[in-house]
Amino acid sequence: MSADAIPSTGRGDGRVLWTSTAAFTACFAVWTIFSIIGLQIKDELGLSETQFGLLIGTPILTGSLSRVLLGVWADQIGGRRVFAAVMVLAGIATFLTSYADSYETLLLAALGVGLAGGTFSVGVTYVSKFYPPQRQGTALGIFGAGNVGSAVTKFAAPFVMVAFGWQTVAQIWAAGLIATAVIFLVLTREDPDEVARRKEGRKGIPLKEQMAVLGNVQVWRFALYYFFVFGAFVALALWLPRYLMGVYGLDVETAGMLAVFYSVPASVFRMYGGKLSDRYGARSVLYLTFGLSVLTTFMLSYPPTTYIIEGIHGPISFRTQMGLVPFLVTIFVLGLFMSFGKAAVFKHIPVYYPNHVGVVGGLVGMIGGLGGFILPLAFGALLDLTGVWTSAFVLLFVLVLVALVWMHFAIRQMERSALRRGTSAQVPELPEMQGLGEPGIVAPPRKAGPIADWRPEDPAFWQTAGRPIAQRNLWISTYCLLLSFAVWMVWSVVVARLPAIGFDFTTDQLFWLAALPGLSGATLRIFYAFLVPVFGGRLWTTLSTASLLIPAFGIGYAVQNPQTPYLIFLVLALLCGFGGGNFASSMANISYFFPKSEKGNALAINAGLGNLGVSLMQFLVPVVVTMSLFGALGGQAQTATDGTQFWMQNAGFVWVPLIGLGTLAAWFGMNDILSARSTFADQASIFSRAHTWLMCWLYTGTFGTFIGMSAGFPLLAKMVFPEVDALKYAFVGPLLGALSRAGTGWISDRLGGARVTFWVFVVQIFAIVGMIYFLDRASFPGFFGMILLLFFVSGVGNASTFQMVPGIMRQAIDLAEPGLTDDQRRVQAEREGAAVIGFTSAIAAYGAFYIPKAYGSSIDLTGTADAALWGFLIFYLSCAALTWFAYSGPRGVLHRNEGARRRPANAQPA
C-alpha cells in the first residue's frame, strides 16, 4: 500500500501508524515463538500432543486475558506508554525463557511471553485516536497486519534453532522486542485525546465506567465472530508446523517456511480487509469470510480415505488424500478471507464505542485470543483421542458454520422487524449491532454495580432496600471466601501424600511447603486489607477470586511428575497465598454493608463459613485424589509405594470450575458502596493507634491458632502418630472451628467481646497443657480431643475479637476527633474499623506459617513437638493478660460498655 493511501488527520499520523504496526509485528513474532521452539522442546522433553498444545497455547492465554485490562489502561493513561511498557516486560520474560529447564518452568515462562499478545488492544486504542471514523477501518486493518509477525517467526526461527538451539531463538527475539520498544518511543507521540486530557487536567474514564459497556450481550456475540477469524488464525499459526511435519513428513525448517503460506495472507491482507469494510460494509465482508471459510474448512477436514468397491471383476480400490500443494493453496485462501473478517469485526468498535475502544476492543480481542489458546489444546486432544490429523479442521468447520448461521438469522430477524415497523431504510449496516453505541444507549438494569446511597443505620432504608442487597453480597462473598480458604490450605493435605507418590523431599522441606502459603497469604493480607476502598468490593472480589485459578492449575500439573523441581513447589505454595490474602479484603468489604447492630454476626458468618473451606478441602481432596475425576483431560494416575493409584492433580483441578462460578457470581451479583471509597492515605491513620497493634496480638492468638493448626495438624499427626491415618480426621477440627465462629457471634454481642475473648484464652491455655500431656503419653485420642477443643474455642475467639473492633474504634475516634460531627465520626470509625479488621487478619494469618514451622523446627531439634507447644502456652498467657488489663478488666476501655449490656434497663449508670 502506498504512502498516499494512508488515512491521516494530521502531520506525523502515518509515522505513528506504521511504527505501531512494526511494533505489533515484533510483538506477534514473540507471541507465537513457541510454535517453533516448542517443536524442539517437545522432542527434548518427550511431550504428548496435549502437553505440546498446552505449551504453545499458554502465551496465547496470557495475551488474551490481559487485553481487556491493557486496553482500559491505554484509554486511561495513554496507549504509547502502555505499549512500550508491555513490550519491555514481554521481552524480559522471553529472555528468561531461555533458562527454563522443565515443562513446568516453561509453562510459567510462557505466561510472561504471552504479554506480547496483549499489545493488540493497546494498539487499537492508540492508533484509532489519530483517524476519523470513516477511515478507521483501513487504519486498524494496517495495524492488524502486524499478525505477519507469526510468519516472521516461522520463517526465521527454524534456521536459528537448528544452528544454535531454541534458547538462542528466545534470547534474540527478546533483544529485538526490547529494541523495538525503544524505537517506538522515539518515533511516536502521544495520541490527541491524551494530549487534550493533560492540557485540560482531565482524568481518564474510570475503570468501572469503562467496564460497564461490557454488560451489553450483543458485544459478546460480536466477540464470537472474532473467536473464529482471529482465534482460529492464531491456533492454526501455532499448529501448522506440527501438522505439516506429521501429515507430510517435512522437517522443521521446511514446515516453518511452508506455514508462511497461511500466516502471511492471514496477516498482510488484513489491511485490505479494512479498506473493503470501509467501502462495501462489514456485513458483506463477514458473509464472504464465513461462507468461504465453511467451504475451505470442509475440504481440509476430509481425512485420507481408502474406498473399496465390489465390482463385477473383483474389488476396486482407490484412495483420496489432499496433497501438499492443494493443501497449501486451500490454506492460503482460508488465511486470506480470515484476514478480511478480522478487519470487518474491528471496523465497528471505534465507530460505535469511541470512548470505550480499549475495553470493548480488549474484550473482543480477548475472546479471539482465547480461541488461540483453547483451539490448540482442542487440536491436540482430538488428535490424541481420534488419531486423525484432520480432526482439527472438523472442529473449525463446525465453529464457522455456527457463526455463519447465527449471524444470518440475527440479521434476518432485525430486517424483518424493521420492515414491519416501516423503518427498513434505517437498519444499520450490521443489523446485529443495532441498539449499540454510546449516544442515547441506556444499559439494562442490573443487580450488580455501584450504590451511591447506602444508609444501613437508617431503619427504614435497611428494612426496605438495604438488607436484601447486603445479604446477597454476604452470601456471594462467603462462597468466594470458602474457595479462598480451600486453595490456601490445600498444601496441608497434598504435602502429606507427596512422599508416597515418589517425591523425595525431606521432613523440613515438607513443613516448609505446608508453611509457605501461610507466609505469603499473611503478607498479601497486609495489602489486600486496604484495596477494597480503592478498587471497590465488587471488582476486587472478582479479581481476587479469579487469581485462585493460577495455583489451582499449577498444582494440578506439578504433582503429576516426581521430577518436578522443589523450586516449582515452593513457588506454587507461595501462590496459594492468594487465597489467604482474600480474607482481609472480604471482611473489610462486608463490614461496610451491615449496621453496627448486625455487623458482628455478619462478619462471623462471612468468616466462619469461609473458614469452612479448610474443612471442605481436607474432606474433599482425600476423596477426589482416589478417582479419575476428569478422565483423559485430568492426566494419568500416580502409583504409590504400596501399589495404590492416586490422581493427585485433582487436588488442584477440582477447584477450577468452582472458582469460575465464584468469579462470575462476584462480577454479576455484587455491589460497590461508593461512600466507602477512600485512598490508602485515608486509612493509614490506623497505624498510629495503639489499639490496632494490640488487636493484632490478640487476633493472632485466636485466628492464628485456627489457621496454623489447620495447616500443621495433618503433617504433625502423620509424623508423631504414624500408625494413625490422621488425614481421615483432619477436616473435623477446622469444621468445628468454622461452625463455632459462625454460630457464636451472638454470644459476644450479648455478653461483650472482651469478656468472651478473655475466657477463650483461658480455655486455650488448658487445651495446650492437655496436648502436651497426651503427646508425652502417645495417646492419639486424648491429643485429638485437645486439638478439637482448641479449634472450637479459637472459633469463638475469632468472632469475639472482631466484635470488639467497632466499639474500640468508635471510642478512639471520639477522643481523637472531637471537632467532627457525630456522622463524620461514625463514617471515620467505620472506615478505620474495616481497615483494622483487614490489617489484624493479615498479621494473625502469619500463624499459618509460624505454627507449622515451629512444629518442624521443634521435631528437628528435639525429636518432639513439646518445645513448640510450650512456646504457644506462653503466648496464650500473654494474650489473656493483655485482654484483661486493656479491655475487659476494671480499667479496660470496654469494661463500662460491656457492663452496661448486663445492667437492667432501669438501672442508673455510675
Side-chain angles (χ1 to χ4, degrees), residues 801-869:
T801 48
F802 270 4
Q803 194 276 342
M804 295 165 60
V805 172
I808 293 172
M809 297 313 298
R810 184 57 194 264
Q811 289 195 43
I813 297 300
D814 287 344
L815 291 174
E817 306 288 348
L820 299 178
T821 65
D822 186 67
D823 285 341
Q824 290 174 329
R825 290 198 300 270
R826 178 186 57 80
V827 171
Q828 180 68 12
E830 289 179 353
R831 180 182 296 123
E832 292 197 17
V836 169
I837 286 172
F839 182 70
T840 54
S841 72
I843 301 302
Y846 281 107
F849 170 75
Y850 74 74
I851 288 182
K853 194 66 185 72
Y855 283 143
S857 299
S858 178
I859 292 174
D860 279 347
L861 295 174
T862 67
T864 70
D866 284 5
L869 294 173

Side-chain angles (χ1 to χ4, degrees), residues 433-755:
M433 295 292 290
Q434 187 176 26
L436 292 183
E438 294 167 5
I441 298 304
V442 178
R446 295 180 298 167
K447 290 184 177 180
I451 299 176
D453 181 23
W454 188 250
R455 293 170 282 112
E457 301 295 344
D458 181 348
F461 173 85
W462 177 248
Q463 294 298 329
T464 57
R467 186 187 294 275
I469 295 174
Q471 292 289 344
R472 185 180 70 246
N473 281 268
L474 172 62
W475 292 115
I476 294 175
S477 174
T478 300
Y479 173 78
C480 294
L481 188 57
L482 182 144
L483 296 177
S484 297
F485 270 91
V487 173
W488 189 24
M489 290 289 104
V490 72
W491 279 119
S492 65
V493 172
V494 172
V495 295
R497 297 280 193 190
L498 291 180
I501 59 174
F503 288 90
D504 188 20
F505 297 151
T506 66
T507 298
D508 190 56
Q509 286 177 319
L510 292 174
F511 271 109
W512 267 109
L513 289 178
L516 279 179
L519 179 64
S520 61
T523 304
L524 286 174
R525 282 187 179 193
I526 296 175
F527 302 98
Y528 281 30
F530 304 99
L531 292 179
V532 167
V534 176
F535 288 92
R538 173 175 171 248
L539 174 60
W540 185 249
T541 304
T542 301
L543 295 177
S544 60
T545 303
S547 71
L548 302 177
L549 291 171
I550 300 174
F553 274 115
I555 291 170
Y557 292 115
V559 298
Q560 296 187 52
N561 184 5
Q563 303 304 315
T564 302
Y566 182 68
L567 176 62
I568 297 300
F569 282 94
L570 290 177
V571 172
L572 288 172
L574 289 170
L575 290 176
C576 283
F578 285 153
N582 289 353
F583 180 82
S585 56
S586 177
M587 295 296 284
N589 181 46
I590 290 302
S591 69
Y592 288 111
F593 280 94
F594 288 84
K596 184 179 178 181
S597 59
E598 299 185 30
K599 197 183 296 287
N601 192 48
L603 291 175
I605 291 174
N606 186 57
L609 298 185
N611 292 165
L612 276 177
V614 180
S615 181
L616 174 65
M617 179 277 302
Q618 292 181 341
F619 173 78
L620 183 63
V621 169
V623 175
V624 298
V625 298
T626 62
M627 62 183 71
S628 179
L629 190 63
F630 299 99
L633 295 177
Q636 300 298 316
Q638 303 91 46
T639 303
T641 52
D642 61 356
T644 307
Q645 283 193 326
F646 292 103
W647 285 263
M648 286 304 298
Q649 59 268 32
N650 291 344
F653 290 157
V654 71
W655 306 110
V656 171
L658 302 177
I659 293 169
L661 290 175
T663 302
L664 294 174
W667 181 252
F668 292 105
M670 294 189 72
N671 300 93
D672 292 321
I673 298 176
L674 297 183
S675 61
R677 291 296 181 92
S678 63
T679 65
F680 175 79
D682 295 332
Q683 305 171 72
S685 57
I686 67 169
F687 298 120
S688 63
R689 306 197 189 281
H691 292 296
T692 300
W693 304 102
L694 296 180
M695 291 307 300
C696 286
W697 189 266
L698 297 184
Y699 194 57
T700 300
T702 58
F703 181 77
T705 297
F706 170 82
I707 201 65
M709 291 296 177
S710 299
F713 170 71
L715 193 55
L716 173 67
K718 196 170 185 64
M719 296 290 179
V720 179
F721 300 99
E723 72 280 1
V724 179
D725 187 3
L727 290 181
K728 291 182 179 179
Y729 314 105
F731 74 94
V732 179
L735 174 63
L736 193 61
L739 292 178
S740 69
R741 179 172 191 166
T744 61
W746 63 272
I747 297 177
S748 298
D749 285 336
R750 183 172 182 178
L751 302 180
R755 283 191 175 86

Side-chain angles (χ1 to χ4, degrees), residues 860-886:
D860 279 347
L861 295 174
T862 67
T864 70
D866 284 5
L869 294 173
W870 280 108
F872 300 155
L873 177 62
I874 295 172
F875 176 69
Y876 294 146
L877 285 170
S878 72
C879 290
L882 176 61
T883 305
W884 175 262
F885 287 108

